[in-house]
Amino acid sequence: MQITVTVNGDEHTADVEPRLLLVHFLRDTLGLTGTHWGCDTSNCGVCVVWLDGTPVKSCTVLAVMADGRTVRTVEGLADGATLDPVQQGFVQCHGLQCGFCTPGMMMTARWLLDRNPDPSENEIREAISGQACRCTGYENIVRSVQWAAVNKS
Amino acid sequence: MQVPAHFEYERATSVDHALALLAKWGSEARVVAGGHSLIPMMKLRLARPEALIDINDLEELAYVRLDGDVLAVGAMTRHADLLASPLVGEHYPIFHDAERVIADPVVRNRGTVGGSLCQADPSEDLSAAFAAVGAAAVVRGPGGERKVPVREFHTGPYETVVAPGELLIEIVVPVRPGGGSAYEKVERRVGDWAVAAAGAAVWLDGDTVSDAGIGLTAVGAAHFHAPEAEEFLRGSPATDANLVEAGRIAAAHCEPVADQRGPSDYKKHLAGELTTRALRRAVERARGAI
Ligand SMILES: Cc1cc2nc3c(=O)[nH]c(=O)nc-3n(C[C@H](O)[C@H](O)[C@H](O)COP(=O)(O)OP(=O)(O)OC[C@H]3O[C@@H](n4cnc5c(N)ncnc54)[C@H](O)[C@@H]3O)c2cc1C
Ligand code: FES
Ligand code: FES
C-alpha cells in the first residue's frame, strides 16, 4: 500500500505492507533511529512519537494509519542547530543517562510543556507514568523537565 | 520483533462507509479503533482478521454531549477526552475517577471508549463504570440501530452482542438529579489493569437510597454488575453500616480467579472493600461534597 506521511515537516511516500508498525516505518524505512523500540507491548513508552500533534506509542500504531497525517519524532525537536529547551534540560541535569528511554521522555515532556508551561513535580511524574526508565533515574529526568520549564529559551 | 500476520487494510470515511466495508469483507473483518487491544492481540496471533477496517477518521463518533437529559459518549471518544470532559465531571465523576487509573496518559491518547467496551476484557474498567450508572450501548448494523443495556452488552470474556457487520456507535447514560458516583481501583502499579475495582452510583431521597448502581471488574462478577447489593440498598437509609453490608453482599456474589495479580480470597476481600469505599464517596458526592 502506498502511504504518504509528513515526518518532522518532510513528506515521505513509501510502499508498505499494512502490517508494518509505525515504529519500524520510522526506524527501518526512513532511517530515523532516534525513536527507540523496546517492550513491543505499549508498556515501556520508548517508542513515543507525536501523531497529528499527540503523543502515541508507535509500536501499537500501524504505519498505514499514519497515511496523510503528520508525525513528529525526537529528530524534529531541535530547531536547526538550536536544541529544544527540553533537550538542553536533559544535558544540563544529566537526564540523559544511558539514553534508551530519552527520546520518548523528551517527546512527552515537550507535549506536557506546550499544554502546561509550569507543571508541578507531580504533573511531570504523571505525564511520564507510561514510560519506563531502565536506569530508574527518574529524579534527573524530572529535574530536566523542570529546567526546561524555567528556561523556555 | 512482534508483527501481526498479513491482513488487508481499509480506511472508513463515515459510519455508512464502515458498515459497507464490513459487509464487503464479511465475518473475517474487524474494525480497528485505537488498536491498543487489537494490535497486541494480532501480534500474539490471538486475533487474525483478514481485513482491518480503520475507523479513526470517524470524527462523527468522537464526542461527549448532553442530548436532553442523556449524556451521550461517541464510540470513538478517546480515553483522554472522556477524562478532560467537564460535562462528565459535572454529571458522572465516576468516569473521571476511572479514566485517571486506566493505562497511562499516552495510551489514553489513543485508546477509545468504544474499543474498550467491545474488547470486553474481564478486567476492563469502563464496563464496570457504565454498568454502575445504568448506561445503554447504541449498536448500528445493516438492519438499523438497536439499544442494548450495558448490563446485557457483554456475553462472556471478550464477547459482546455486537455481531460481525455491526458497529458500536455511542453509549448513553440518563442524567438524573440527586445522584453521586465514584470509582475505586487497586492495581499493582501505575497504569496496570485492576487487581479489583468497583464503581458505584447512588441517588438519595433525603437520607434514603432511592436507587443504586454497582459495577465490578476483574473479580468474576457476571456482566460486571452486582445486582444483589443494589437491591439491598434500594429503599434503605444511606448509613455506613448499610454501605458495608452492600460491599459484603457484592463480594459474596463474585467469583474471582487466582492469577499473577493475586489469590481469589484477596480479590474477594477487595471487591467488598472497594464497593463500600466507592459507595461512601458516591453518597458524599450525592450530598454535595466533591
Ligand atoms: C499498556 C496498556 C494498559 C492498559 N490498561 C488498562 C486498564 O488499566 N484498564 C482498562 O480498562 N483498559 C486498559 N487498557 C486497554 C485500553 O483501554 C484500550 O484502549 C482498550 O482496551 C481498547 O480500545 P481501542 O480503541 O484501542 O480498541 P481496539 O484495540 O481498536 O479494538 C478492540 C476491539 O473492539 C472492537 N471495536 C473497537 N471499536 C469498535 C466499535 N466502535 N464497534 C464495534 N467494535 C469495535 C475491535 O474490532 C476489537 O475487537 C490498557 C491498554 C494498554 C496498551
Ligand atoms: S516499544 Fe512501544 S511502548 Fe515499549
Ligand atoms: S536513561 Fe537509561 S533507560 Fe532511561
Side-chain angles (χ1 to χ4, degrees):
Chain A
M1 229 190 112
Q2 200 179 66
I3 62 169
T4 301
V5 189
T6 303
V7 183
N8 303 327
D10 296 330
E11 218 178 83
H12 297 272
T13 298
D15 200 22
V16 302
E17 260 198 281
R19 63 178 179 158
L20 183 72
L21 298 165
L22 181 58
V23 64
H24 300 310
F25 173 71
L26 293 170
R27 289 177 56 86
D28 304 343
T29 310
L30 301 186
L32 294 169
T33 52
T35 301
H36 290 170
W37 161 63
C39 69
D40 228 341
T41 56
S42 306
N43 278 288
C44 77
V46 301
C47 64
V48 169
V49 301
W50 293 13
L51 180 63
D52 277 349
T54 307
V56 297
K57 295 186 177 177
S58 62
C59 67
T60 315
V61 175
L62 301 168
V64 286
M65 288 174 136
D67 182 27
R69 305 192 197 280
T70 61
V71 171
R72 189 181 187 196
T73 69
V74 70
E75 286 92 346
L77 264 190
D79 180 8
T82 312
L83 292 181
D84 186 274
V86 166
Q87 292 171 306
Q88 293 173 31
F90 272 70
V91 173
Q92 294 298 325
C93 304
H94 192 40
L96 193 133
Q97 298 149 118
C98 82
F100 191 63
C101 70
T102 311
M105 292 288 187
M106 285 179 167
M107 295 315 288
T108 301
R110 181 69 269 156
W111 189 69
L112 170 70
L113 293 178
D114 284 355
R115 291 157 49 107
N116 179 359
D118 187 24
S120 66
E121 180 180 334
N122 270 347
E123 286 169 332
I124 296 171
R125 288 186 184 273
E126 162 71 12
I128 60 169
S129 61
Q131 288 164 281
C133 175
R134 286 150 193 76
C135 298
T136 62
Y138 295 98
E139 290 301 324
N140 288 345
I141 291 170
V142 170
R143 272 186 215 125
S144 305
V145 180
Q146 284 169 328
W147 188 97
V150 174
N151 298 274
K152 295 181 171 68
S153 84
Chain B
M1 183 160 107
Q2 295 176 358
V3 183
H6 177 84
F7 58 87
E8 302 293 330
Y9 172 88
E10 302 238 37
R11 199 186 272 190
T13 53
S14 67
V15 170
D16 288 339
H17 186 216
L19 291 174
L21 288 171
L22 283 172
K24 173 182 146 193
W25 285 95
S27 60
E28 294 310 314
R30 291 279 277 275
V31 298
V32 61
H36 272 56
S37 292
L38 183 54
I39 292 174
M41 284 179 71
M42 289 169 66
K43 288 181 183 181
L44 297 170
R45 303 297 189 272
L46 294 171
R48 222 173 149 164
E50 280 172 18
L52 277 191
I53 316 296
D54 184 352
I55 57 172
N56 278 281
D57 277 354
L58 304 193
E59 283 298 318
E60 57 192 290
L61 294 185
Y63 56 83
V64 180
R65 64 180 178 229
L66 271 186
D67 285 344
D69 54 2
V70 164
L71 183 71
V73 181
M76 281 306 293
T77 304
R78 312 278 173 186
H79 290 303
D81 294 325
L82 194 66
L83 179 55
S85 161
L87 262 185
V88 169
E90 184 186 337
H91 296 290
Y92 279 110
I94 182 175
F95 294 113
H96 280 184
D97 292 352
E99 282 294 359
R100 254 180 228 116
V101 290
I102 291 177
D104 60 69
V106 184
V107 168
R108 291 200 293 262
N109 281 340
R110 189 83 184 147
T112 66
V113 171
S116 289
L117 283 192
C118 290
Q119 178 65 18
D121 187 296
S123 304
E124 213 276 310
D125 288 294
L126 287 184
S127 301
F130 280 117
V133 299
V138 180
V139 178
R140 194 181 298 173
E145 228 168 72
R146 64 200 169 101
K147 208 163 150 183
V148 186
V150 165
R151 293 168 183 188
E152 294 163 23
F153 184 78
H154 299 99
T155 50
Y158 309 103
E159 285 177 16
T160 73
V161 298
V162 182
E166 288 188 323
L167 269 187
L168 173 63
I169 301 297
E170 71 173 7
I171 301 100
V172 290
V173 196
V175 171
R176 298 151 55 189
S181 62
Y183 196 75
E184 295 278 347
K185 169 171 167 177
V186 166
E187 70 268 57
R188 292 174 303 176
R189 57 184 155 81
V190 171
D192 196 8
W193 295 85
V195 179
V202 171
W203 288 268
L204 294 180
D205 183 2
D207 274 338
T208 305
V209 177
S210 56
D211 199 6
I214 298 172
L216 289 167
T217 197
V219 290
H223 302 287
F224 297 92
H225 181 207
E228 298 84 1
E230 292 174 352
E231 198 45 51
F232 165 79
L233 280 175
R234 277 187 205 113
S236 309
T239 59
D240 199 61
N242 279 341
L243 306 186
V244 171
E245 177 60 11
R248 195 197 60 75
I249 296 172
H253 287 88
C254 291
E255 287 184 34
V257 289
D259 59 14
Q260 79 276 16
R261 289 192 168 79
S264 168
D265 55 351
Y266 169 56
K267 293 184 181 182
K268 217 165 180 144
H269 165 77
L270 281 181
E273 183 59 34
L274 295 177
T275 297
T276 300
R277 283 187 206 169
L279 283 167
R280 277 188 192 128
R281 203 134 63 95
V283 166
E284 276 171 26
R285 283 173 172 165
R287 288 185 173 139
I290 300 165

